[in-house]
Every structure is written in C-alpha cells, then in structure tokens.
C-alpha cells in the first residue's frame, strides 16, 4: 500500500514538472535598440534577462513585436499576457502588475547645437515644443505638463520620427535615453547630423524599466513574485551585469531604483 502511495505521489509530481516545463508565456515587445529588438541576438539584452528568469521557473517566453502603442494595448486587453520593458506609472498600474527593476536608465533633452536652452524646472520649458512618443511616460511632472498643454507636445509613433523632427527643426527638445539615441543616429543618419545635436546635462528622468503582466489573469500576482525572486538571484550572480556588458562597455551600469 505504501509503495502505491509513493508511486502515485511520484506520478503527480512528474505531471506537475512536465506541466511547468511546457508552460509558455506570450509577451509583446518592440524596437528599442540596443536593449530590445527583433534583429538582435536573444531579442536584445533586456529580453534575454526576462527569458532567462522565466526559464528558471520552467516557463518558455514567446515574444511578438509591435509598434509600442500596439504592444501596450495588446497586453492591456489580454491578447498577450504582458510586455517588456516599461516604466511604472499610476495609469499603467491600473492594468498591470510590475516586476522589480530590470534596468535603470536616465533620459536627457536633446536639441540642435545652434540653439541654446537651459532648464532646471518644468517652468523653464513653457512655450517649447517637446517631441514625445505615444505610449511613453516621461515622469509625473513632464507628463502632467504635456497633458495640460503647459508644455507643447508633438506626438509621434517612434523615437526615430522624433529625431527626424528635431533635425527638421519642427521640435525644440527631444527626451531620449543616450544609448537608444546613439543607436538610432548611427543607423539612420550621417556623422554630420550627429555632430549638430547636443543634450542638456540635467536628466529629464532616471527611471526603472520593468516587466509588466496584465491584471486580467489573477495568477499573474504570484507569477510576478516568483519572477522577482529569480531576478534577484540573477542579479546576485552578476549574470544581469554580464548580459548588459556589451551595451555599457566600460561605463558602469546605472544603479537600480524602485
């Protein structure tokens, strides 16, 4: 009788193990080189980290790539389970559970070198036209200033379009992460254009980027908690630093913030 019980228990555990091994999670993704891209190995270092964390949980990740507004909406309404990688905001938190930070990055205002700007508070931006991308958040203060019209917004569907607007003098300032900016410049513009653009040294934001899973599925609460535990182990082992090393080279990675 005892042998039968142990065999039954073994079969149950085996079935659970097989079930976990066959689990797949579907996440939306987008073009944001050098951190995320359908063209990069492992779909970029940020996607690679998410993939490795889920692998430790016995879950396979399937990525589908979209323009960022569609990537967000597909995850929000539950067509996909979630999306990588996003800044947490009050609005997004209505629909998503967020992981611990996978990456922390600053954003700076870029401008044409022949134009002079200074800023220390949002008030200094009044009357200027800021190039912004649909579905992005730029921090509570700037988001509110853009929504109220205190700062003029020129909306686009991609960072690349906003850079083209900047070069064409259709916007004054463009908030962008330096590695993303450099990647877009190097791939789409001549060196002469790059030399004509500068940035203001005060960051627009320093923000944490996270995995988000929609709140439609109640199991996502526990899944985010499990993800966070494995992410901590990956950070502790220095694996996260190793994956990002080719992007940051000899520059130290920004410290994670909450």
């Amino acid at each position: 009788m005892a042998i039968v019980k142990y065999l039954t228990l073994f079969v149950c555990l085996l079935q659970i193990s097989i079930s976990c091994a066959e689990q797949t999670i579907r996440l939306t993704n987008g073009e944001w080189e050098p951190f995320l891209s359908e063209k990069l190995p492992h779909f970029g270092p940020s996607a690679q980290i998410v993939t490795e964390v889920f692998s430790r949980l016995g879950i396979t990740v399937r990525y589908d790539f979209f323009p960022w507004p569609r990537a967000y909406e597909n995850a929000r309404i539950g067509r996909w389970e979630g999306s990588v990688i996003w800044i947490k905001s009050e609005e997004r938190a209505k629909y998503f559970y967020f992981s611990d930070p996978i990456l922390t990055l600053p954003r700076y205002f870029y401008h044409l070198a022949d134009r002079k700007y200074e800023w220390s508070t949002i008030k200094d931006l009044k009357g200027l036209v800021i190039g912004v991308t649909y579905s992005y958040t730029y921090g509570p203060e700037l988001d509110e200033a853009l929504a109220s019209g205190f700062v003029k917004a020129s909306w686009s569907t991609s960072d690349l379009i906003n850079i083209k607007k900047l070069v064409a003098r259709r916007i004054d300032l463009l908030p962008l992460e330096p590695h993303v900016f450099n990647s877009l410049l190097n791939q789409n513009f001549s060196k002469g254009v790059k030399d004509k653009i500068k940035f203001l040294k005060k960051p627009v934001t320093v923000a944490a980027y996270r995995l988000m899973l929609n709140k439609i599925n109640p199991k996502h609460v526990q899944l985010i908690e499990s993800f966070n535990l494995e992410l901590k182990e990956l950070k502790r082992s220095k694996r996260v630093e190793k994956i990002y090393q080719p992007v940051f080279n000899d520059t130290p990675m920004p410290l994670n913030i909450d």
Side-chain angles (χ1 to χ4, degrees), residues 18-70:
I18 291 171
S19 174
C20 289
E22 291 177 348
Q23 279 189 333
T24 300
I25 190 166
R26 298 166 69 241
L27 303 176
T28 65
N29 207 330
E31 293 297 320
W32 203 52
E33 289 192 54
F35 301 105
L36 298 165
S37 176
E38 196 169 12
K39 299 171 288 186
L40 291 174
H42 310 289
F43 303 123
S46 295
Q48 183 179 354
I49 289 166
V50 172
T51 299
E52 291 195 13
V53 172
F54 274 119
S55 178
R56 293 166 69 104
L57 295 170
I59 299 172
T60 300
V61 182
R62 172 186 158 187
Y63 295 107
D64 291 292
F65 282 76
F66 303 94
W68 286 113
R70 270 187 24 187

Side-chain angles (χ1 to χ4, degrees), residues 197-214:
I197 300 176
K198 292 186 176 180
F199 70 95
L200 303 178
K201 293 183 179 180
K202 175 183 167 63
V204 180
T205 58
V206 180
Y209 291 79
R210 310 163 189 262
L211 164 73
M212 59 184 193
L213 300 180
N214 64 54

Side-chain angles (χ1 to χ4, degrees), residues 107-109 117-125 128 141-142 173 200-205:
R107 272 204 191 101
Y108 298 93
F109 278 128
Y117 301 99
E118 291 183 6
W119 87 288
S120 58
T121 69
I122 295 294
K123 292 180 180 179
D124 299 325
L125 304 177
L128 299 179
E141 281 191 293
L142 184 53
L173 299 173
L200 303 178
K201 293 183 179 180
K202 175 183 167 63
V204 180
T205 58

